[in-house]
Amino acid sequence: MIHPDKVQLLAEECGNLSSAVAHLVFSMERTRELVPRIREELSLEELERLESLASRFARLADMLSQRLMRLIDEVELAPPGSVLDRIHRAEKRGWVDDARSLIRIRELRNLIAHEYAADKMMEIYEEIVALAPGLVKISQNAVDYAERLVNSLRNS
């Protein structure tokens, strides 16, 4: 039997992830007009919007792979494993059509966390803009799955 505290924690993480999705979507909207000009000279305010987008992208990717996926594995009694194991389970659960897209999101998250060279940031921003809609969709699929899991555990 799954401990009720784990079920409650999973429900809370669903809310946290949904909030992070909303924040990323907000940043996506605020940077939409910058995308065609991303390689041009941008103002400090415009760069700040892109930095916010990157930060929110990385935060959501972390919350998904390090918290929600791990917690679902615990609740479903899946064997602990690497991030790659969790990504492949996400594909099997139907959250993502191809695990490679989630792997690329994780790689980009790592680049964001460790990239300090300003000359690479515009490339990173371009990739964030390209991958952010997929991260939003995968996250929403994961939350839907987790909420169904919470409901089934509470009703059993």
Side-chain angles (χ1 to χ4, degrees):
M1 172 128 194
I2 304 301
H3 195 280
D5 289 348
K6 285 274 188 203
V7 177
Q8 180 59 35
L9 183 58
L10 183 55
E12 290 170 9
E13 285 302 323
C14 287
N16 293 340
L17 202 73
S18 293
S19 179
V21 165
H23 291 150
L24 178 59
V25 169
F26 176 78
S27 285
M28 290 165 60
E29 289 298 319
R30 289 195 69 221
T31 56
R32 184 177 313 271
E33 73 196 46
L34 303 178
V35 173
R37 302 184 303 116
I38 209 160
R39 295 276 181 163
E40 298 172 13
E41 190 72 28
L42 299 174
S43 72
L44 291 176
E45 188 273 331
E46 291 169 328
L47 289 170
E48 184 177 59
R49 283 193 271 161
L50 287 170
E51 289 170 14
S52 178
L53 175 71
S55 175
R56 289 172 174 182
F57 180 95
R59 187 176 311 114
L60 180 57
D62 268 349
M63 291 174 71
L64 177 65
S65 65
Q66 298 299 330
R67 291 168 56 181
L68 190 73
M69 286 180 170
R70 190 174 277 163
L71 189 54
I72 288 172
D73 284 350
E74 286 177 30
V75 168
E76 291 186 336
L77 305 175
S82 67
V83 172
L84 191 55
D85 294 329
R86 289 191 296 274
I87 288 171
H88 286 292
R89 279 193 289 271
E91 182 182 51
K92 288 177 184 171
R93 289 173 176 138
W95 304 350
V96 59
D97 293 331
D98 186 347
R100 287 179 293 190
S101 61
L102 200 46
I103 291 168
R104 186 62 198 138
I105 287 168
R106 184 68 188 169
E107 290 170 343
L108 183 56
R109 176 262 168 226
N110 290 340
L111 274 175
I112 294 165
H114 303 291
E115 185 57 56
Y116 300 105
D119 60 327
K120 301 266 189 213
M121 287 311 298
M122 292 310 155
E123 292 171 31
I124 290 171
Y125 293 146
E126 286 175 330
E127 195 160 1
I128 290 167
V129 166
L131 294 176
L135 177 57
V136 166
K137 180 73 173 136
I138 294 164
S139 298
Q140 290 169 330
N141 290 343
V143 167
D144 291 346
Y145 180 96
E147 287 175 342
R148 285 191 306 273
L149 181 59
V150 165
N151 289 334
S152 71
L153 291 169
R154 285 183 172 160
N155 294 328
S156 62

